[in-house]
Amino acid sequence: MSDKMILQYLKKAQMTHELNQNELTALLSDTTIDDTLAAAADQVRLKYVGNSIHLRGLIEFSNICRQNCMYCGLRRDNLHIERYRLTPSEIVKLAEKARRYGYKTVVLQSGEDMYFSANILAEIIKQIKEMDMAVTLSIGERSYEEYDLLKKAGADRYLLRIETTSKKLYEALDPAMSFNNRKSCLFNLRKLGYEVGTGCLVGLPGQTIESLAQDILFFKQLDADMIGIGPLIPNQNTPLAKAAKGDFTLTRRMVSLIRLLLPEANIPATTAMETLKADARIIILQSGANVVMPNVTEGDYRRKYALYPGKICVADTPAQCRSCIGGKIKSIGRYVAADKGFRQHQPRLT
Ligand code: SAH
Ligand code: SF4
């Protein structure tokens, strides 16, 4: 691919926020374009979502999971982690603390732990909503009726990564899970009025650049409100123990292209990035991202919520996380948003 063509695609992305599969593949494959791509994404980020950064306090409330995803440390066949489950009142107390740290959103994340019925979760959500916070759920696949009940209880947003849009790869890596079901969960969430977050893993064994390009087109088709991209971090207690780590620069190119194609989206600089490279989140915030999800989980639970090894800040307190990230944000001339950070729909400017 000539440099001229690559720059033409980049310009097209900046102006129209549209690229086709081949153009995306060409940009994702070009290892010389990273900084130029990031600078273009950073400009689009400024134009559409501004300089504020939304902080979402992450509560990892259970590491019990009925699923067996090949890459994940919480998979049910992993006998090497100590399982835990917070009580509903512990979860609400952590949300109260999150509010005191100044977070306007809590993200309740867990494995697919069926102890937490929709009714139990609804009670937790109602109590948190009384504190005037936005609630994001990230608890995996549930029925339409359960999503409906949780929405009616006050949940605002839902994160469910598609992980990969290659059906074959998805079903090889998430045994007994159905790609079509995951997709219909996302469309159900959309229909029910949630802000919908999705995303993918970068560096899955057998994943191609074309498939990553297709992931981006899927995010656009879904008109995702939030998109979280993370590199695969191989976990020694899973069948993917020997897999290679996801590539930092490819993951960064994904983030930048997603900002160019979905200019209004809320895009986190994910924690897994920082496992690959010190200060990765700051680099990613300057490459298109505008959200950080500091951990609010306390004590030993942080360590036990071991999706992947080398997770950062497992020994830190939530207060330390808040002040650390606040300092980093200031150091790059950005600031912490004062609002709840819903997606702002804007008329197309170009
Ligand atoms: N059970 C829920 C939410 C918890 S898992 C769900 O699966 O949707 C949250 C995310 O962790 C997953 O979407 C996956 O993309 C990520 N994850 C799991 N194992 C990982 C690994 N080894 N490296 C990087 N990210 C991983
Ligand atoms: Fe469970 Fe989610 Fe991990 Fe899959 S990725 S094993 S659903 S926690």
Side-chain angles (χ1 to χ4, degrees):
M1 188 66 54
S2 74
D3 288 357
K4 210 169 145 214
M5 288 300 275
I6 287 287
L7 289 176
Q8 238 177 42
Y9 297 162
L10 179 58
K11 186 131 203 196
K12 179 179 170 197
Q14 262 179 304
M15 305 299 290
T16 66
H17 311 298
E18 302 283 346
L19 287 177
N20 65 31
Q21 157 100 32
N22 289 340
E23 294 161 344
L24 276 170
T25 304
L27 285 166
L28 280 172
S29 311
D30 192 319
T31 52
T32 66
I33 192 114
D34 300 20
D35 290 342
T36 318
L37 198 58
D42 202 42
Q43 276 176 19
V44 169
R45 184 270 309 155
L46 176 63
K47 182 166 159 188
Y48 279 81
V49 296
N51 265 333
S52 65
I53 289 177
H54 300 287
L55 299 183
R56 324 286 202 199
L58 176 66
I59 301 177
E60 300 159 328
F61 68 91
S62 164
N63 69 354
I64 296 170
C65 188
R66 65 175 172 168
Q67 301 292 4
N68 221 8
C69 306
M70 303 287 249
Y71 41 79
C72 178
L74 307 193
R75 67 198 304 269
R76 67 164 189 271
D77 284 355
N78 180 12
L79 304 177
H80 300 282
I81 57 166
E82 274 172 73
R83 304 282 172 173
Y84 72 87
R85 175 185 282 147
L86 301 188
T87 64
S89 76
E90 283 173 320
I91 299 171
V92 173
K93 280 203 188 95
L94 281 183
E96 262 163 25
K97 284 194 186 171
R99 191 171 158 273
R100 287 206 294 277
Y101 297 130
Y103 299 130
K104 313 281 184 225
T105 296
V106 279
V107 181
L108 304 181
Q109 193 180 77
S110 68
E112 289 198 11
D113 180 355
M114 301 325 277
Y115 162 84
F116 286 99
S117 64
N119 283 324
I120 292 180
L121 287 166
E123 279 314 306
I124 298 168
I125 294 166
K126 279 180 199 155
Q127 289 183 56
I128 300 177
K129 289 305 291 181
E130 278 166 23
M131 301 173 209
D132 188 29
M133 294 182 94
V135 173
T136 304
L137 298 175
S138 176
I139 58 170
E141 295 179 21
R142 299 271 177 146
S143 68
Y144 184 89
E145 290 69 32
E146 288 172 290
Y147 285 154
D148 188 26
L149 201 145
L150 298 170
K151 182 80 186 65
K152 287 186 177 129
D156 302 279
R157 311 188 181 109
Y158 206 104
L159 304 177
L160 186 77
R161 287 185 180 172
I162 192 73
E163 315 293 2
T164 170
T165 51
S166 158
K167 184 172 191 289
K168 203 166 143 220
L169 186 58
Y170 180 89
E171 290 180 354
L173 291 175
D174 297 353
M177 290 176 86
S178 141
F179 177 72
N180 288 342
N181 190 57
R182 194 142 186 111
K183 234 165 100 171
S184 56
C185 282
L186 284 166
F187 285 99
N188 285 343
L189 291 162
R190 168 102 292 159
K191 195 162 152 198
L192 287 163
Y194 284 89
E195 278 207 339
V196 180
T198 189
C200 63
L201 282 165
V202 176
L204 291 167
Q207 189 178 41
T208 60
I209 298 284
E210 288 77 10
S211 164
L212 287 170
Q214 232 146 37
D215 293 352
I216 300 180
L217 294 175
F218 172 75
F219 305 150
K220 235 180 135 53
Q221 184 203 347
L222 180 69
D223 189 25
D225 302 298
M226 302 163 289
I227 302 148
I229 304 297
L232 172 76
I233 313 290
N235 185 319
Q236 66 279 17
N237 296 322
T238 67
L240 294 197
K242 299 238 154 34
K245 284 180 188 166
D247 180 65
F248 175 80
T249 55
L250 176 58
T251 314
R252 181 177 176 221
R253 287 201 291 286
M254 279 292 283
V255 169
S256 298
L257 280 168
I258 290 165
R259 169 60 67 204
L260 290 171
L261 263 64
L262 290 101
E264 295 171 351
N266 281 319
I267 303 177
T270 56
T271 314
M273 295 289 268
E274 198 116 351
T275 301
L276 291 182
K277 197 181 179 84
D279 272 337
R281 285 179 301 176
I282 289 301
I283 300 170
I284 297 299
L285 285 172
Q286 296 174 297
S287 310
N290 70 323
V291 172
V292 179
M293 294 164 63
N295 205 327
V296 182
T297 319
E298 289 187 346
D300 235 17
Y301 298 130
R302 263 184 199 219
R303 181 182 55 77
K304 290 182 186 166
Y305 195 82
L307 300 165
Y308 52 82
K311 183 173 153 189
I312 57 161
C313 314
V314 280
D316 289 355
T317 64
Q320 284 167 328
C321 283
R322 175 64 186 84
S323 78
C324 163
I325 200 67
K328 287 183 178 184
I329 288 169
K330 226 169 142 187
S331 77
I332 54 166
R334 309 266 283 275
Y335 63 92
V336 174
D339 62 311
K340 294 195 181 84
F342 288 100
R343 172 180 174 181
Q344 301 297 314
H345 290 265
Q346 293 175 7
R348 280 287 163 91
L349 303 176
T350 50

